[in-house]
Amino acid sequence: MAAPQEEAPATKGAKQPLYHASTQFRNWRFSFEGLAQVRGSMNEAAVAAIRRKIEADEPGSSSNLSFLSADEEVVLVKLYLTKITQLCGMFRFPEEVEATGITYLKRFYLRNTVMDWHPKNVMLTALFLATKTSNFPISLETYTKHIPKTVPNDVLELEFLVAQSLAFEFAVWHAHRALWGIWLDVQTLPDLPVKLDPEIYHAALAHVRASRLTDAELVFAPPQIALAAFSLAAPDIASRWLDSKNTGEHRMNPNVIEEIKTLILSQGHPPEIEAVREVDRRLKLCKNPEKVPGSKAYLAKKAEEERKAEEKRAKKADTVQKAMASEGDPFGNELKKSHTALVDYDDDDDD
């Protein structure tokens, strides 16, 4: 369920903002109710599928398991959002890489569950992918060398899965860019009540960063989040700026800005470590057995994958054999020489 548009309806023939043509606006915007529905449905489907797999190996063994709820999955993912920030600080990645990596991780878990894919390696892959899509590439060897207990394959084996889960839609519209635009714009306002201290911008940027730990970007537009962050840092200036902009065909609702501010202040902080540890402890017991190396389900799945791969190889070999038997060449016959030619090079005019 898409979120209702925040702007007033445009008049007929009016030019729409570029953001409205983006895949982010079309495919990655929800209402809070829509988000809860997506996560709840995915969680229920995952629990049912994992329960069936566990019961297939040991009937009755799943009855005492405490599966994760959708909200508990969000808590675990939120912890790894903070890990992205820590890694970006260590590597000195720019703001764009950090924001993009966080967005990728959030979007991944709108299509997948932590009971199938633990956020640790997904987080590493999402951030590495963000370095490439944000035009700040780093070699895989350098990247993994500085992360303890990590080898290149930990990142590579999930890269296609992450890209596929993002529907290969890598472009992201970020609130920190919108904030910079607001900061430049407020400097043109006449008769400002206070001096524009650069600390105002830095305080607003801190609120934008806090918003990344919430669902704000999945519900609201980047300019809304940016204005809410700016309003938390300098409410009077933000109000003046909003009044100067709410005169055209696209208007921002002040009530929405207040809603985002409340969201940032209430949820824009890391989760409690003890709560995360409890979730992670239970995850080890209710994880999809097909993802646990050495388990019966894991070995059965690998055997089935190998069987299908062998069938595919055998089918391909049979096709090549038949082609060779009927044609003599699996790549087709040589081009036959034409019986007539425009020029007869064997004709000797001197005879």
Side-chain angles (χ1 to χ4, degrees):
M1 181 188 298
Q5 292 188 20
E6 67 282 353
E7 300 86 355
T11 56
K12 187 175 180 180
K15 185 177 180 181
Q16 291 293 313
L18 290 176
Y19 172 67
H20 286 189
S22 69
T23 56
Q24 181 169 326
F25 181 81
R26 293 198 308 268
N27 304 326
W28 300 103
R29 288 281 306 281
F30 308 84
S31 64
F32 285 113
E33 294 78 11
L35 268 181
Q37 183 178 2
V38 167
R39 288 167 172 161
S41 299
M42 187 175 60
N43 177 267
E44 289 176 10
V47 168
I50 294 171
R51 192 185 294 277
R52 286 195 302 269
K53 292 167 186 173
I54 293 175
E55 289 291 325
D57 287 342
E58 299 179 35
S61 60
S62 71
S63 58
N64 295 324
L65 285 180
S66 176
F67 289 92
L68 301 186
S69 68
D71 289 340
E72 288 170 330
E73 290 194 53
V74 171
V75 168
L76 186 60
V77 172
K78 188 173 183 179
L79 175 69
Y80 285 91
L81 296 179
T82 68
K83 300 294 184 185
I84 287 180
T85 298
Q86 294 172 13
L87 284 174
C88 287
M90 181 181 72
F91 284 108
R92 297 184 179 180
F93 288 154
E95 194 84 25
E96 189 76 7
V97 172
E98 178 181 341
T100 302
I102 286 175
T103 297
Y104 287 174
L105 189 61
K106 288 180 184 177
R107 292 182 180 181
F108 179 88
Y109 285 106
L110 292 179
R111 305 283 174 85
N112 301 275
T113 169
V114 301
M115 289 179 282
D116 281 333
W117 308 103
H118 196 283
K120 179 184 176 182
N121 283 354
V122 177
M123 175 270 295
L124 295 176
T125 304
L127 180 56
F128 182 69
L129 187 59
T131 64
K132 294 191 282 188
T133 60
S134 300
N135 199 28
F136 197 85
I138 181 175
S139 74
L140 182 58
E141 290 72 21
T142 301
Y143 181 68
T144 55
K145 182 174 67 176
H146 290 86
I147 304 174
K149 300 179 181 179
T150 304
V151 296
N153 193 53
D154 292 334
V155 175
L156 284 181
E157 68 178 358
L158 293 178
E159 190 169 40
F160 182 77
L161 173 66
V162 172
Q164 188 178 48
S165 298
L166 300 175
F168 302 96
E169 295 171 356
F170 301 123
V172 182
W173 292 63
H174 290 301
H176 69 268
R177 279 185 266 168
L179 175 64
W180 180 246
I182 291 175
W183 175 247
L184 294 178
D185 209 26
V186 297
Q187 297 179 50
T188 66
L189 292 176
D191 303 322
L192 285 176
V194 295
K195 182 181 178 182
L196 280 179
D197 191 323
E199 286 303 313
I200 294 176
Y201 171 76
H202 294 302
L205 182 58
H207 290 303
V208 166
R209 290 167 177 165
S211 76
R212 294 174 189 153
L213 298 179
T214 74
D215 287 331
E217 67 176 299
L218 299 173
V219 179
F220 304 103
Q224 291 176 310
I225 300 170
L227 181 57
F230 193 81
S231 181
L232 286 169
D236 292 339
I237 301 176
S239 179
R240 288 278 304 277
W241 181 85
L242 182 59
D243 289 342
S244 72
K245 294 299 177 183
N246 269 356
T247 56
E249 58 201 24
H250 298 289
R251 305 173 66 86
M252 282 193 188
N253 186 340
N255 293 331
V256 172
I257 304 305
E258 291 301 315
E259 185 179 0
I260 300 172
K261 288 164 65 174
T262 301
L263 182 65
I264 294 173
L265 293 176
S266 63
Q267 299 183 26
H269 51 76
E272 295 181 4
I273 295 300
E274 287 305 316
V276 175
R277 284 176 179 167
E278 174 61 18
V279 170
D280 207 27
R281 182 190 66 79
R282 287 170 46 215
L283 177 59
K284 293 175 183 177
L285 302 176
C286 63
K287 187 176 181 180
N288 186 342
E290 289 186 347
K291 310 296 182 183
V292 181
S295 69
K296 292 180 181 179
Y298 178 86
L299 296 175
K301 183 180 180 182
K302 288 296 180 184
E304 178 65 14
E305 289 174 350
E306 181 56 34
R307 184 187 67 77
K308 290 181 179 180
E310 182 59 33
E311 285 182 356
K312 188 175 181 180
R313 288 192 292 268
K315 185 178 180 180
K316 185 175 182 180
D318 184 56
T319 301
V320 171
Q321 267 190 336
K322 288 180 179 178
M324 292 182 68
S326 60
E327 302 289 346
D329 185 346
F331 300 106
N333 294 327
E334 293 183 5
L335 293 174
K336 294 180 179 179
K337 293 182 179 180
S338 176
H339 294 293
T340 59
L342 295 177
V343 179
D344 185 357
Y345 289 101
D346 291 330
D347 183 22
D348 190 348
D349 291 336
D350 292 336
D351 287 345

